[in-house]
Amino acid sequence: MSVEFKKIRSQVRLMNPFKGHALDEIPFEIRFDPLTGETGRVFDLPFKAEKPNVADIVDRSKKIFCPFCPAALEKSTPEFPKDLIPEGRIKVGDATLIPNLAPFEKHAGVAIFSQEHFLPMENLTPETMRDAFSASLLYLKRVAQSDPLVRFFSINWNYMPCAGSSIVHAHLQPNAGEVPTNALRKQLEGSRRHLLNHHRTFWEDFIDAEMQNGERALGKIGSTFWTMSFVPASFLPDVQCIFPERRTLIEMSEENLECFLKGLSKILKYFLDENVYSFNLSIFSTKEDESHRVNARVCPRLLPRPIGNSDIAYPQMIHKESFTVRPPEAVRENLLNAFRF
Ligand SMILES: [Zn+2]
């Protein structure tokens, strides 16, 4: 088997006060990512997220200056140098793409979805998301044409403050640079290793393996394949999307994007059903690498307890080890129900 879903089962023994102080065992798994070999801890705890007070977050955000609202956008946001984007800002439908004033990369954009300050998660449909993604793809294509040194691309999204967004006004962050992030570098190393050892891409073998295994796969939408991650990155299980035909974001077609947005809107509907009102999304890409394929990850984000604690703590922050309270296999059926419609 060229793609292995390796896990080590373990358990914690303790005298449980909720079971009359009798000896009890809490099982958990240490799982190994089939591409990178990185580990994550997966528990099966009776966790249920509580619905956050979204109206309160939106109210607070309206009391703070928002540079992306129509009254401020023209005056308070930067423009691209004319040699990169002659028109200064990219406009596609309702979306406006500007340079990121807090850049993470050599080329860093911000694609503002629309003039609406708050785009409720319930309204994140392919229609409301399309313009910002199209603008981001257009920006990355223009960057690739004008800067031959750029080799790595991503489109990223922090939706709502709980996912790290400092501005509620919905926006994507397309990036392009010369050095991959840790996550993309590890993907690339694993992909090249797999191609060298098996003479097939990891990604086609991975899709076959997940389809055969049947415990996590959600299915295909046109040119995209969807599955829950074997080693989730987040506190609750996350979802991966693979574009098996696409080596680079620069060549993404309208059909690719439509399939992605269709799947994404279903995933977000499932998150809503689970009282999750925040998420991180990244689409990873190289400029061109025969071993690699464009792929995305959508991670639910939440404040686990009423005290408002972060779902990222020492394991993820310092140990670089994911910690997940529900196995993806245990929640897949609910996600599949949202995915079918
Ligand atoms: Zn705004």
Side-chain angles (χ1 to χ4, degrees), residues 285-315:
S285 169
T286 69
K287 190 169 185 180
E288 171 80 58
D289 189 288
E290 60 173 340
S291 71
H292 194 259
R293 294 295 179 270
V294 176
N295 68 94
R297 202 149 181 160
V298 194
C299 295
R301 294 296 307 278
L302 67 157
L303 307 175
R305 301 192 68 212
I307 189 75
N309 57 311
S310 169
D311 57 357
I312 291 179
Y314 78 84

PDB file of all heavy atoms in Angstrom, residues 285-315:
ATOM      1  N   SER A 285      -0.650  25.862  -3.520  1.00  0.00           N
ATOM      2  CA  SER A 285      -0.231  25.603  -4.898  1.00  0.00           C
ATOM      3  C   SER A 285       1.232  25.975  -5.105  1.00  0.00           C
ATOM      4  O   SER A 285       1.736  26.919  -4.496  1.00  0.00           O
ATOM      5  CB  SER A 285      -1.103  26.441  -5.847  1.00  0.00           C
ATOM      6  OG  SER A 285      -0.593  26.421  -7.157  1.00  0.00           O
ATOM      7  N   THR A 286       1.889  25.238  -5.986  1.00  0.00           N
ATOM      8  CA  THR A 286       3.203  25.661  -6.475  1.00  0.00           C
ATOM      9  C   THR A 286       2.972  26.310  -7.841  1.00  0.00           C
ATOM     10  O   THR A 286       1.848  26.302  -8.363  1.00  0.00           O
ATOM     11  CB  THR A 286       4.156  24.470  -6.663  1.00  0.00           C
ATOM     12  OG1 THR A 286       3.683  23.682  -7.749  1.00  0.00           O
ATOM     13  CG2 THR A 286       4.222  23.609  -5.404  1.00  0.00           C
ATOM     14  N   LYS A 287       4.039  26.853  -8.427  1.00  0.00           N
ATOM     15  CA  LYS A 287       3.897  27.399  -9.777  1.00  0.00           C
ATOM     16  C   LYS A 287       3.722  26.253 -10.767  1.00  0.00           C
ATOM     17  O   LYS A 287       2.953  26.343 -11.715  1.00  0.00           O
ATOM     18  CB  LYS A 287       5.114  28.246 -10.132  1.00  0.00           C
ATOM     19  CG  LYS A 287       4.951  29.039 -11.404  1.00  0.00           C
ATOM     20  CD  LYS A 287       6.050  30.046 -11.576  1.00  0.00           C
ATOM     21  CE  LYS A 287       5.815  30.921 -12.785  1.00  0.00           C
ATOM     22  NZ  LYS A 287       6.882  31.895 -12.960  1.00  0.00           N
ATOM     23  N   GLU A 288       4.457  25.205 -10.558  1.00  0.00           N
ATOM     24  CA  GLU A 288       4.370  24.006 -11.401  1.00  0.00           C
ATOM     25  C   GLU A 288       5.305  22.973 -10.797  1.00  0.00           C
ATOM     26  O   GLU A 288       6.502  23.212 -10.674  1.00  0.00           O
ATOM     27  CB  GLU A 288       4.805  24.334 -12.836  1.00  0.00           C
ATOM     28  CG  GLU A 288       4.957  23.140 -13.760  1.00  0.00           C
ATOM     29  CD  GLU A 288       3.633  22.651 -14.316  1.00  0.00           C
ATOM     30  OE1 GLU A 288       2.932  23.433 -14.952  1.00  0.00           O
ATOM     31  OE2 GLU A 288       3.313  21.446 -14.115  1.00  0.00           O
ATOM     32  N   ASP A 289       4.765  21.843 -10.392  1.00  0.00           N
ATOM     33  CA  ASP A 289       5.613  20.764  -9.900  1.00  0.00           C
ATOM     34  C   ASP A 289       4.902  19.470 -10.239  1.00  0.00           C
ATOM     35  O   ASP A 289       3.739  19.284  -9.875  1.00  0.00           O
ATOM     36  CB  ASP A 289       5.831  20.882  -8.385  1.00  0.00           C
ATOM     37  CG  ASP A 289       6.888  19.913  -7.896  1.00  0.00           C
ATOM     38  OD1 ASP A 289       6.612  18.689  -7.855  1.00  0.00           O
ATOM     39  OD2 ASP A 289       8.002  20.371  -7.578  1.00  0.00           O
ATOM     40  N   GLU A 290       5.583  18.581 -10.965  1.00  0.00           N
ATOM     41  CA  GLU A 290       4.882  17.388 -11.483  1.00  0.00           C
ATOM     42  C   GLU A 290       4.358  16.495 -10.365  1.00  0.00           C
ATOM     43  O   GLU A 290       3.415  15.732 -10.563  1.00  0.00           O
ATOM     44  CB  GLU A 290       5.806  16.574 -12.414  1.00  0.00           C
ATOM     45  CG  GLU A 290       7.070  16.071 -11.743  1.00  0.00           C
ATOM     46  CD  GLU A 290       7.867  15.130 -12.649  1.00  0.00           C
ATOM     47  OE1 GLU A 290       7.280  14.597 -13.589  1.00  0.00           O
ATOM     48  OE2 GLU A 290       9.063  14.963 -12.373  1.00  0.00           O
ATOM     49  N   SER A 291       4.930  16.596  -9.153  1.00  0.00           N
ATOM     50  CA  SER A 291       4.507  15.718  -8.059  1.00  0.00           C
ATOM     51  C   SER A 291       3.331  16.278  -7.275  1.00  0.00           C
ATOM     52  O   SER A 291       2.676  15.552  -6.535  1.00  0.00           O
ATOM     53  CB  SER A 291       5.673  15.493  -7.094  1.00  0.00           C
ATOM     54  OG  SER A 291       5.946  16.674  -6.358  1.00  0.00           O
ATOM     55  N   HIS A 292       3.077  17.572  -7.401  1.00  0.00           N
ATOM     56  CA  HIS A 292       2.129  18.243  -6.503  1.00  0.00           C
ATOM     57  C   HIS A 292       0.812  18.572  -7.191  1.00  0.00           C
ATOM     58  O   HIS A 292       0.778  18.729  -8.407  1.00  0.00           O
ATOM     59  CB  HIS A 292       2.768  19.531  -5.958  1.00  0.00           C
ATOM     60  CG  HIS A 292       2.033  20.128  -4.794  1.00  0.00           C
ATOM     61  ND1 HIS A 292       1.189  21.199  -4.928  1.00  0.00           N
ATOM     62  CD2 HIS A 292       2.003  19.779  -3.485  1.00  0.00           C
ATOM     63  CE1 HIS A 292       0.681  21.494  -3.730  1.00  0.00           C
ATOM     64  NE2 HIS A 292       1.158  20.659  -2.842  1.00  0.00           N
ATOM     65  N   ARG A 293      -0.266  18.654  -6.423  1.00  0.00           N
ATOM     66  CA  ARG A 293      -1.552  19.066  -6.962  1.00  0.00           C
ATOM     67  C   ARG A 293      -2.162  20.128  -6.062  1.00  0.00           C
ATOM     68  O   ARG A 293      -1.943  20.123  -4.847  1.00  0.00           O
ATOM     69  CB  ARG A 293      -2.518  17.864  -7.052  1.00  0.00           C
ATOM     70  CG  ARG A 293      -2.089  16.798  -8.056  1.00  0.00           C
ATOM     71  CD  ARG A 293      -2.107  17.302  -9.494  1.00  0.00           C
ATOM     72  NE  ARG A 293      -1.682  16.281 -10.446  1.00  0.00           N
ATOM     73  CZ  ARG A 293      -0.426  16.082 -10.840  1.00  0.00           C
ATOM     74  NH1 ARG A 293       0.553  16.857 -10.375  1.00  0.00           N
ATOM     75  NH2 ARG A 293      -0.136  15.131 -11.704  1.00  0.00           N
ATOM     76  N   VAL A 294      -2.928  21.031  -6.662  1.00  0.00           N
ATOM     77  CA  VAL A 294      -3.608  22.066  -5.893  1.00  0.00           C
ATOM     78  C   VAL A 294      -4.543  21.380  -4.897  1.00  0.00           C
ATOM     79  O   VAL A 294      -5.250  20.428  -5.246  1.00  0.00           O
ATOM     80  CB  VAL A 294      -4.414  23.007  -6.820  1.00  0.00           C
ATOM     81  CG1 VAL A 294      -5.198  24.031  -6.017  1.00  0.00           C
ATOM     82  CG2 VAL A 294      -3.482  23.689  -7.814  1.00  0.00           C
ATOM     83  N   ASN A 295      -4.492  21.843  -3.666  1.00  0.00           N
ATOM     84  CA  ASN A 295      -5.367  21.254  -2.643  1.00  0.00           C
ATOM     85  C   ASN A 295      -5.716  22.301  -1.595  1.00  0.00           C
ATOM     86  O   ASN A 295      -5.012  23.295  -1.436  1.00  0.00           O
ATOM     87  CB  ASN A 295      -4.712  20.028  -2.006  1.00  0.00           C
ATOM     88  CG  ASN A 295      -3.499  20.395  -1.182  1.00  0.00           C
ATOM     89  OD1 ASN A 295      -3.605  20.594   0.036  1.00  0.00           O
ATOM     90  ND2 ASN A 295      -2.336  20.511  -1.823  1.00  0.00           N
ATOM     91  N   ALA A 296      -6.823  22.058  -0.901  1.00  0.00           N
ATOM     92  CA  ALA A 296      -7.310  23.041   0.069  1.00  0.00           C
ATOM     93  C   ALA A 296      -7.658  22.349   1.378  1.00  0.00           C
ATOM     94  O   ALA A 296      -7.894  21.141   1.417  1.00  0.00           O
ATOM     95  CB  ALA A 296      -8.546  23.741  -0.481  1.00  0.00           C
ATOM     96  N   ARG A 297      -7.678  23.144   2.420  1.00  0.00           N
ATOM     97  CA  ARG A 297      -8.058  22.638   3.733  1.00  0.00           C
ATOM     98  C   ARG A 297      -8.999  23.649   4.383  1.00  0.00           C
ATOM     99  O   ARG A 297      -8.731  24.861   4.330  1.00  0.00           O
ATOM    100  CB  ARG A 297      -6.795  22.476   4.569  1.00  0.00           C
ATOM    101  CG  ARG A 297      -6.937  21.514   5.693  1.00  0.00           C
ATOM    102  CD  ARG A 297      -5.613  20.827   5.971  1.00  0.00           C
ATOM    103  NE  ARG A 297      -5.832  19.895   7.050  1.00  0.00           N
ATOM    104  CZ  ARG A 297      -5.053  18.869   7.332  1.00  0.00           C
ATOM    105  NH1 ARG A 297      -3.980  18.639   6.628  1.00  0.00           N
ATOM    106  NH2 ARG A 297      -5.339  18.069   8.310  1.00  0.00           N
ATOM    107  N   VAL A 298     -10.091  23.162   4.955  1.00  0.00           N
ATOM    108  CA  VAL A 298     -11.065  24.024   5.624  1.00  0.00           C
ATOM    109  C   VAL A 298     -11.167  23.572   7.071  1.00  0.00           C
ATOM    110  O   VAL A 298     -11.585  22.438   7.341  1.00  0.00           O
ATOM    111  CB  VAL A 298     -12.467  23.927   4.982  1.00  0.00           C
ATOM    112  CG1 VAL A 298     -13.348  25.071   5.474  1.00  0.00           C
ATOM    113  CG2 VAL A 298     -12.401  23.909   3.473  1.00  0.00           C
ATOM    114  N   CYS A 299     -10.768  24.436   7.997  1.00  0.00           N
ATOM    115  CA  CYS A 299     -10.723  24.068   9.413  1.00  0.00           C
ATOM    116  C   CYS A 299     -11.758  24.856  10.213  1.00  0.00           C
ATOM    117  O   CYS A 299     -11.724  26.091  10.208  1.00  0.00           O
ATOM    118  CB  CYS A 299      -9.348  24.370   9.994  1.00  0.00           C
ATOM    119  SG  CYS A 299      -8.045  23.370   9.275  1.00  0.00           S
ATOM    120  N   PRO A 300     -12.656  24.139  10.925  1.00  0.00           N
ATOM    121  CA  PRO A 300     -13.588  24.853  11.803  1.00  0.00           C
ATOM    122  C   PRO A 300     -12.831  25.499  12.952  1.00  0.00           C
ATOM    123  O   PRO A 300     -11.835  24.954  13.416  1.00  0.00           O
ATOM    124  CB  PRO A 300     -14.503  23.739  12.320  1.00  0.00           C
ATOM    125  CG  PRO A 300     -13.724  22.477  12.183  1.00  0.00           C
ATOM    126  CD  PRO A 300     -12.792  22.682  11.024  1.00  0.00           C
ATOM    127  N   ARG A 301     -13.282  26.667  13.384  1.00  0.00           N
ATOM    128  CA  ARG A 301     -12.659  27.335  14.537  1.00  0.00           C
ATOM    129  C   ARG A 301     -13.753  27.726  15.523  1.00  0.00           C
ATOM    130  O   ARG A 301     -14.849  28.119  15.133  1.00  0.00           O
ATOM    131  CB  ARG A 301     -11.899  28.590  14.076  1.00  0.00           C
ATOM    132  CG  ARG A 301     -10.699  28.309  13.185  1.00  0.00           C
ATOM    133  CD  ARG A 301      -9.592  27.522  13.876  1.00  0.00           C
ATOM    134  NE  ARG A 301      -9.161  28.120  15.123  1.00  0.00           N
ATOM    135  CZ  ARG A 301      -8.287  29.136  15.235  1.00  0.00           C
ATOM    136  NH1 ARG A 301      -7.759  29.650  14.141  1.00  0.00           N
ATOM    137  NH2 ARG A 301      -7.961  29.621  16.415  1.00  0.00           N
ATOM    138  N   LEU A 302     -13.432  27.637  16.790  1.00  0.00           N
ATOM    139  CA  LEU A 302     -14.433  27.924  17.822  1.00  0.00           C
ATOM    140  C   LEU A 302     -13.759  28.232  19.141  1.00  0.00           C
ATOM    141  O   LEU A 302     -12.555  27.978  19.310  1.00  0.00           O
ATOM    142  CB  LEU A 302     -15.383  26.734  17.985  1.00  0.00           C
ATOM    143  CG  LEU A 302     -14.775  25.441  18.544  1.00  0.00           C
ATOM    144  CD1 LEU A 302     -15.873  24.583  19.162  1.00  0.00           C
ATOM    145  CD2 LEU A 302     -14.085  24.622  17.462  1.00  0.00           C
ATOM    146  N   LEU A 303     -14.555  28.795  20.053  1.00  0.00           N
ATOM    147  CA  LEU A 303     -14.108  28.983  21.435  1.00  0.00           C
ATOM    148  C   LEU A 303     -14.755  27.844  22.223  1.00  0.00           C
ATOM    149  O   LEU A 303     -15.973  27.843  22.414  1.00  0.00           O
ATOM    150  CB  LEU A 303     -14.559  30.349  21.958  1.00  0.00           C
ATOM    151  CG  LEU A 303     -14.153  31.542  21.076  1.00  0.00           C
ATOM    152  CD1 LEU A 303     -14.749  32.830  21.612  1.00  0.00           C
ATOM    153  CD2 LEU A 303     -12.635  31.649  20.972  1.00  0.00           C
ATOM    154  N   PRO A 304     -13.973  26.847  22.641  1.00  0.00           N
ATOM    155  CA  PRO A 304     -14.584  25.605  23.138  1.00  0.00           C
ATOM    156  C   PRO A 304     -15.476  25.754  24.365  1.00  0.00           C
ATOM    157  O   PRO A 304     -16.504  25.101  24.456  1.00  0.00           O
ATOM    158  CB  PRO A 304     -13.377  24.718  23.457  1.00  0.00           C
ATOM    159  CG  PRO A 304     -12.268  25.253  22.621  1.00  0.00           C
ATOM    160  CD  PRO A 304     -12.517  26.741  22.545  1.00  0.00           C
ATOM    161  N   ARG A 305     -15.137  26.617  25.329  1.00  0.00           N
ATOM    162  CA  ARG A 305     -15.937  26.692  26.545  1.00  0.00           C
ATOM    163  C   ARG A 305     -16.436  28.119  26.767  1.00  0.00           C
ATOM    164  O   ARG A 305     -15.875  29.073  26.224  1.00  0.00           O
ATOM    165  CB  ARG A 305     -15.101  26.213  27.737  1.00  0.00           C
ATOM    166  CG  ARG A 305     -14.612  24.769  27.546  1.00  0.00           C
ATOM    167  CD  ARG A 305     -14.052  24.194  28.831  1.00  0.00           C
ATOM    168  NE  ARG A 305     -15.087  24.002  29.831  1.00  0.00           N
ATOM    169  CZ  ARG A 305     -14.881  24.107  31.149  1.00  0.00           C
ATOM    170  NH1 ARG A 305     -13.694  24.424  31.614  1.00  0.00           N
ATOM    171  NH2 ARG A 305     -15.854  23.890  31.995  1.00  0.00           N
ATOM    172  N   PRO A 306     -17.483  28.290  27.612  1.00  0.00           N
ATOM    173  CA  PRO A 306     -18.091  29.630  27.773  1.00  0.00           C
ATOM    174  C   PRO A 306     -17.119  30.703  28.276  1.00  0.00           C
ATOM    175  O   PRO A 306     -17.383  31.889  28.122  1.00  0.00           O
ATOM    176  CB  PRO A 306     -19.205  29.376  28.810  1.00  0.00           C
ATOM    177  CG  PRO A 306     -19.527  27.923  28.667  1.00  0.00           C
ATOM    178  CD  PRO A 306     -18.241  27.236  28.319  1.00  0.00           C
ATOM    179  N   ILE A 307     -15.977  30.308  28.856  1.00  0.00           N
ATOM    180  CA  ILE A 307     -14.987  31.294  29.287  1.00  0.00           C
ATOM    181  C   ILE A 307     -14.364  32.016  28.081  1.00  0.00           C
ATOM    182  O   ILE A 307     -13.784  33.093  28.204  1.00  0.00           O
ATOM    183  CB  ILE A 307     -13.888  30.613  30.155  1.00  0.00           C
ATOM    184  CG1 ILE A 307     -12.959  31.637  30.822  1.00  0.00           C
ATOM    185  CG2 ILE A 307     -13.038  29.651  29.338  1.00  0.00           C
ATOM    186  CD1 ILE A 307     -13.570  32.345  31.984  1.00  0.00           C
ATOM    187  N   GLY A 308     -14.527  31.401  26.884  1.00  0.00           N
ATOM    188  CA  GLY A 308     -14.000  32.018  25.658  1.00  0.00           C
ATOM    189  C   GLY A 308     -12.564  31.653  25.376  1.00  0.00           C
ATOM    190  O   GLY A 308     -11.830  32.406  24.743  1.00  0.00           O
ATOM    191  N   ASN A 309     -12.146  30.459  25.837  1.00  0.00           N
ATOM    192  CA  ASN A 309     -10.758  30.021  25.580  1.00  0.00           C
ATOM    193  C   ASN A 309     -10.557  29.702  24.105  1.00  0.00           C
ATOM    194  O   ASN A 309     -11.479  29.293  23.403  1.00  0.00           O
ATOM    195  CB  ASN A 309     -10.405  28.797  26.447  1.00  0.00           C
ATOM    196  CG  ASN A 309     -11.346  27.623  26.243  1.00  0.00           C
ATOM    197  OD1 ASN A 309     -12.558  27.797  26.269  1.00  0.00           O
ATOM    198  ND2 ASN A 309     -10.800  26.458  26.020  1.00  0.00           N
ATOM    199  N   SER A 310      -9.314  29.874  23.661  1.00  0.00           N
ATOM    200  CA  SER A 310      -8.957  29.588  22.270  1.00  0.00           C
ATOM    201  C   SER A 310      -8.933  28.075  22.043  1.00  0.00           C
ATOM    202  O   SER A 310      -8.638  27.299  22.958  1.00  0.00           O
ATOM    203  CB  SER A 310      -7.571  30.170  21.985  1.00  0.00           C
ATOM    204  OG  SER A 310      -7.094  29.708  20.743  1.00  0.00           O
ATOM    205  N   ASP A 311      -9.227  27.667  20.808  1.00  0.00           N
ATOM    206  CA  ASP A 311      -9.108  26.235  20.471  1.00  0.00           C
ATOM    207  C   ASP A 311      -7.676  25.895  20.041  1.00  0.00           C
ATOM    208  O   ASP A 311      -7.397  24.771  19.639  1.00  0.00           O
ATOM    209  CB  ASP A 311     -10.135  25.830  19.406  1.00  0.00           C
ATOM    210  CG  ASP A 311     -10.026  26.656  18.130  1.00  0.00           C
ATOM    211  OD1 ASP A 311      -9.187  27.584  18.078  1.00  0.00           O
ATOM    212  OD2 ASP A 311     -10.783  26.383  17.186  1.00  0.00           O
ATOM    213  N   ILE A 312      -6.786  26.878  20.123  1.00  0.00           N
ATOM    214  CA  ILE A 312      -5.365  26.606  19.886  1.00  0.00           C
ATOM    215  C   ILE A 312      -4.613  26.893  21.188  1.00  0.00           C
ATOM    216  O   ILE A 312      -4.725  27.991  21.740  1.00  0.00           O
ATOM    217  CB  ILE A 312      -4.816  27.481  18.737  1.00  0.00           C
ATOM    218  CG1 ILE A 312      -5.436  27.015  17.418  1.00  0.00           C
ATOM    219  CG2 ILE A 312      -3.290  27.406  18.666  1.00  0.00           C
ATOM    220  CD1 ILE A 312      -4.991  27.805  16.218  1.00  0.00           C
ATOM    221  N   ALA A 313      -3.885  25.893  21.689  1.00  0.00           N
ATOM    222  CA  ALA A 313      -3.168  26.042  22.962  1.00  0.00           C
ATOM    223  C   ALA A 313      -1.750  25.493  22.794  1.00  0.00           C
ATOM    224  O   ALA A 313      -1.248  25.394  21.672  1.00  0.00           O
ATOM    225  CB  ALA A 313      -3.936  25.331  24.069  1.00  0.00           C
ATOM    226  N   TYR A 314      -1.097  25.105  23.889  1.00  0.00           N
ATOM    227  CA  TYR A 314       0.318  24.720  23.773  1.00  0.00           C
ATOM    228  C   TYR A 314       0.574  23.587  22.772  1.00  0.00           C
ATOM    229  O   TYR A 314       1.616  23.613  22.091  1.00  0.00           O
ATOM    230  CB  TYR A 314       0.916  24.388  25.159  1.00  0.00           C
ATOM    231  CG  TYR A 314       0.546  23.021  25.696  1.00  0.00           C
ATOM    232  CD1 TYR A 314       1.265  21.883  25.319  1.00  0.00           C
ATOM    233  CD2 TYR A 314      -0.538  22.861  26.550  1.00  0.00           C
ATOM    234  CE1 TYR A 314       0.903  20.625  25.785  1.00  0.00           C
ATOM    235  CE2 TYR A 314      -0.899  21.610  27.008  1.00  0.00           C
ATOM    236  CZ  TYR A 314      -0.176  20.486  26.629  1.00  0.00           C
ATOM    237  OH  TYR A 314      -0.539  19.253  27.065  1.00  0.00           O
ATOM    238  N   PRO A 315      -0.349  22.590  22.638  1.00  0.00           N
ATOM    239  CA  PRO A 315       0.006  21.501  21.692  1.00  0.00           C
ATOM    240  C   PRO A 315       0.252  22.011  20.276  1.00  0.00           C
ATOM    241  O   PRO A 315       1.259  21.677  19.643  1.00  0.00           O
ATOM    242  CB  PRO A 315      -1.196  20.560  21.753  1.00  0.00           C
ATOM    243  CG  PRO A 315      -1.839  20.829  23.074  1.00  0.00           C
ATOM    244  CD  PRO A 315      -1.645  22.308  23.295  1.00  0.00           C
TER     245      PRO A 315
END
